[in-house]
Amino acid sequence: MDTPSQQAASTIDPALLARVVKGDVQAFSQLYDQSSTLLYSLALRMLGNKEDAAELLQDVYLEVWRKVSRYDIGRGTPLAWLVTLTRSRAVDRLRARSSRGPQSMGAPLDGDSHVPDRGPNPFEAQADQEVHTLVMGALAALPPAQQEALELAYYEGLSHVEIAAKLNQPLGTVKTRIKLGMTKLRESLRHCWDQGEHL
Amino acid sequence: MTHEELEEAVPLYAAGALERPERQALETHLLSGCVSCHTALKEYQAVAAVLPFGLQSTPPPRTLKAKIMAARTAPVMEDAATEQQASRPSLEPGEWMNHLFPPESSTSIWSLRWGLGIAALGLLVAGASLAWNSYTAMTDSTAKLQALQTASQEQAAKLASIQQQIREREQTIDRLKAETDQQRTEAMALKEQLIQRDAELEDLRLQLVTRSSPPQAAHAPEAELAALLHQSTAVRTISLNGSEKAKGAAGFLLYDARTHKLWLYSINLPTCPKGMHYQIWAMQEKPVSMGSFHNHGGETAHRFITHHPNLSTVKRFTISLEPSGERSAPTGPIYLTSQS
């Protein structure tokens, strides 16, 4: 039987989702084991505190359980679907949070409350470690301005208009930075999904 | 937006950096079936999907999985209310992937009061959903009935069109049949005329044979032919006698009363001198020219006269030798003339 340490988020099989569609609890459990670390890391990065991240993750997985039949493989891999869903719900929370003002921020990352239960560690599966290395390298190869624009869009949930205002840069410059950054990442990572089965 | 602008917006879309109108425009374009943009989006979406691998890996709380597995079977009260909410955040990155999942609005911060309110709203929506289902079922039936009626009307229109085509073809067939009948009638009439002509010719031939034996040496050939033609009641013969200028010449005019055709036969007229011709005259109150002809030698000459006056008004016919060119009255010597 597989253990979480052997199951890579980067190799989630669409057949696993097909089993979840049929109400297979074991498949749902395996899906959680394969993807939860990646999704939680994303939620934590976007929301900034572990309580909100955990709550978000719970909402995401329950939504997956209830509505997995709506997953359309023609529009992306299972991983892309889970990441997009998690990120989208996190952006919802960031928007709701910003509309209520800064006083509603949850526990910050700094301090004892941010310490994860098992502590930060590399991705356990070999395949995920390789992807981690590739993505880190690809991101490091980007100019800092492109990195910054991408991070504000992807992790902060800001539109190019909001990023331009925040950085006090022309809108066209920001759009170009994001576009160039994404294009360079695509070229750097192309062989990653050329070789991988499910990424 | 042009296709180029939409294509350039794909990486921003995957990164979640587009404003709502731009995002909606691109999604509409994608749904229209643009293959190149769809392919590009899948690649950029794959980039966006692996970006979290660049984060520091942090496992979730140990107790979270148990909480999720336990909550999995709990009844969901907020589903209906959530799906009915029309107000969405201003930015929903990755809608192309997320289109099946309407965003929730800060469920984590619901207070008990809001929770109760939403629960009540859920019951209300459930009732409305039941009513809506009934309404949609009725609407479906109505729509199906309308579709059947529309299909029936289309078939009736096609049938009417086919019937009209059949009527038009029947009219065409009737017209062709009438034309065929008329042509058949005309052909029968022509055939009868031909039979009659054959009979007349046969009669004439028999008379000619009868007259030709025993031979009558005293009669000139033209006299015999004139006498022969006299036997036919339909043909009137007018004899022409030679004048002092041509004592050996003779001739006659044959007039077919049925066809109103007139022929001239002449015998032994002298050859026309150069620059001269014979001109035929119908002598009435004033002379009327009926045409001219040349005689280049030979015993006989004949001519079909196309224009002639009513023969009942003609006093006599003459043929004179005239210089070339039409004359309004005889100026030259008379060669042939009929009796008054």
Side-chain angles (χ1 to χ4, degrees):
Chain A
M1 184 175 177
D2 291 342
T3 63
S5 63
Q6 295 170 320
Q7 296 163 340
S10 55
T11 59
I12 297 174
D13 192 341
L16 185 64
L17 285 183
R19 288 169 55 198
V20 177
V21 170
K22 295 176 181 175
D24 188 334
V25 177
Q26 189 177 356
F28 183 60
S29 173
Q30 183 182 336
L31 180 67
Y32 178 90
D33 291 339
Q34 283 190 250
S35 59
S36 60
T37 296
L38 180 71
L39 300 186
Y40 184 75
S41 301
L42 173 61
L44 193 60
R45 168 65 181 82
M46 293 183 72
L47 299 178
N49 71 78
K50 68 175 188 178
E51 286 81 9
D52 284 354
E55 196 175 67
L56 173 71
L57 214 60
Q58 180 171 337
D59 291 344
V60 166
Y61 278 105
L62 290 178
E63 194 170 352
V64 167
W65 174 254
R66 293 196 302 266
K67 301 174 182 176
V68 67
S69 62
R70 300 183 186 180
Y71 165 66
D72 180 3
I73 193 172
R75 294 192 176 185
T77 62
L79 176 68
W81 178 57
L82 291 171
V83 168
T84 304
L85 181 59
T86 303
R87 186 175 166 277
S88 179
R89 295 297 175 261
V91 170
D92 292 344
R93 286 172 180 258
L94 289 174
R95 295 275 161 178
R97 182 188 291 170
S98 65
S99 66
R100 292 194 303 272
Q103 72 279 2
S104 61
M105 283 283 288
L109 276 173
D110 296 329
D112 292 342
S113 62
H114 179 237
V115 177
D117 291 4
R118 284 182 283 166
N121 61 329
F123 290 98
E124 293 175 343
Q126 177 71 25
D128 289 352
Q129 288 179 23
E130 291 175 0
V131 177
H132 170 75
T133 304
L134 283 169
V135 173
M136 289 290 285
L139 285 170
L142 294 181
Q146 293 178 15
Q147 284 186 39
E148 181 184 37
L150 271 178
E151 289 193 0
L152 287 172
Y154 192 82
Y155 293 119
E156 305 294 329
L158 300 181
S159 71
H160 55 79
V161 175
E162 292 166 324
I163 296 169
K166 184 170 185 171
L167 300 179
N168 196 25
Q169 292 287 330
L171 186 59
T173 302
V174 171
K175 290 170 75 171
T176 301
R177 286 175 182 174
I178 296 171
K179 189 170 62 178
L180 286 177
M182 289 294 286
T183 303
K184 288 177 183 175
L185 286 176
R186 183 183 65 167
E187 297 308 314
S188 301
L189 299 172
R190 185 182 293 278
H191 73 281
C192 179
W193 50 76
D194 283 348
Q195 294 174 356
E197 289 184 7
H198 307 306
L199 249 182
Chain B
M1 295 175 72
T2 63
H3 179 264
E4 188 177 348
E5 292 171 334
L6 289 165
E7 200 167 30
E8 288 187 350
V10 170
L12 282 84
Y13 177 87
L18 289 182
E19 292 284 331
R20 178 187 287 273
E22 298 167 316
R23 196 172 61 245
Q24 289 173 338
L26 180 58
E27 285 170 352
T28 302
H29 178 64
L30 289 165
L31 287 171
S32 72
C34 177
V35 176
S36 62
C37 286
H38 194 183
T39 303
L41 175 62
K42 289 187 78 170
E43 293 183 359
Y44 284 113
Q45 200 82 47
V47 171
V50 298
L51 282 181
F53 282 101
L55 295 171
Q56 185 182 48
S57 170
T58 306
R62 294 176 191 276
T63 57
L64 182 59
K65 182 177 181 181
K67 284 174 64 178
I68 291 172
M69 297 304 282
R72 179 179 50 80
T73 55
V76 182
M77 298 293 292
E78 69 275 17
D79 259 9
T82 301
E83 292 190 8
Q84 293 295 325
Q85 285 179 2
S87 59
R88 294 185 169 196
S90 62
L91 188 66
E92 297 163 17
E95 186 70 11
W96 177 250
M97 291 287 296
N98 193 37
H99 68 293
L100 299 174
F101 293 82
E104 296 172 351
S105 310
S106 59
T107 53
S108 62
I109 50 90
W110 285 348
S111 66
L112 178 60
R113 185 175 55 188
W114 277 102
L116 290 173
I118 292 302
L121 182 60
L123 289 173
L124 194 62
V125 170
S129 175
L130 186 60
W132 174 256
N133 287 337
S134 300
Y135 171 74
T136 51
M138 188 173 69
T139 305
D140 286 348
S141 299
T142 305
K144 287 177 181 175
L145 182 60
Q146 288 177 341
L148 286 173
Q149 288 176 339
T150 304
S152 174
Q153 289 171 352
E154 289 176 354
Q155 293 299 323
K158 287 181 181 175
L159 183 60
S161 174
I162 291 171
Q163 288 175 339
Q164 176 66 23
Q165 291 177 0
I166 290 172
R167 281 196 295 272
E168 290 175 356
R169 291 184 181 180
E170 286 175 348
Q171 290 172 355
T172 303
I173 290 171
D174 289 343
R175 189 176 67 251
L176 290 173
K177 189 176 178 183
E179 291 176 359
T180 304
D181 290 343
Q182 184 179 355
Q183 289 173 352
R184 185 184 296 120
T185 303
E186 291 174 356
M188 291 296 291
L190 287 173
K191 186 177 179 182
E192 287 177 359
Q193 290 179 7
L194 187 60
I195 290 170
Q196 187 179 354
R197 291 281 188 275
D198 285 344
E200 290 174 0
L201 285 173
E202 182 63 18
D203 189 28
L204 290 172
R205 189 180 65 78
L206 288 173
Q207 290 181 18
L208 183 63
V209 169
T210 304
R211 298 288 179 130
S212 62
S213 69
Q216 308 249 340
H219 290 88
E222 66 275 15
E224 288 188 6
L225 179 58
L228 179 63
L229 291 172
H230 271 302
Q231 303 301 316
S232 174
T233 56
V235 178
R236 179 184 170 189
T237 305
I238 302 165
S239 297
L240 300 172
N241 300 318
S243 65
E244 289 297 325
K245 296 286 289 185
K247 290 182 178 177
F252 52 88
L253 292 165
L254 297 177
Y255 175 68
D256 190 338
R258 294 168 303 183
T259 60
H260 302 288
K261 293 179 178 176
L262 186 64
W263 291 267
L264 167 68
Y265 289 88
S266 63
I267 302 167
N268 292 332
L269 273 177
T271 301
C272 288
K274 189 174 181 181
M276 304 292 281
H277 66 184
Y278 289 111
Q279 193 158 357
I280 313 164
W281 302 94
M283 304 304 286
Q284 299 176 303
E285 295 296 329
K286 292 182 178 178
V288 175
S289 174
M290 296 195 300
S292 58
F293 64 97
H294 286 88
N295 185 16
H296 298 295
E299 293 182 347
T300 62
H302 57 86
R303 176 176 175 77
F304 175 56
I305 300 172
T306 55
H307 296 94
H308 58 82
N310 186 349
L311 266 60
S312 61
T313 63
V314 178
K315 295 177 180 176
R316 57 188 171 87
F317 296 91
T318 60
I319 294 174
S320 63
L321 185 65
E322 303 287 346
S324 296
E326 288 292 318
R327 294 287 187 276
S328 58
T331 58
I334 301 299
Y335 278 73
L336 290 174
T337 184
S338 66
Q339 295 179 347
S340 299

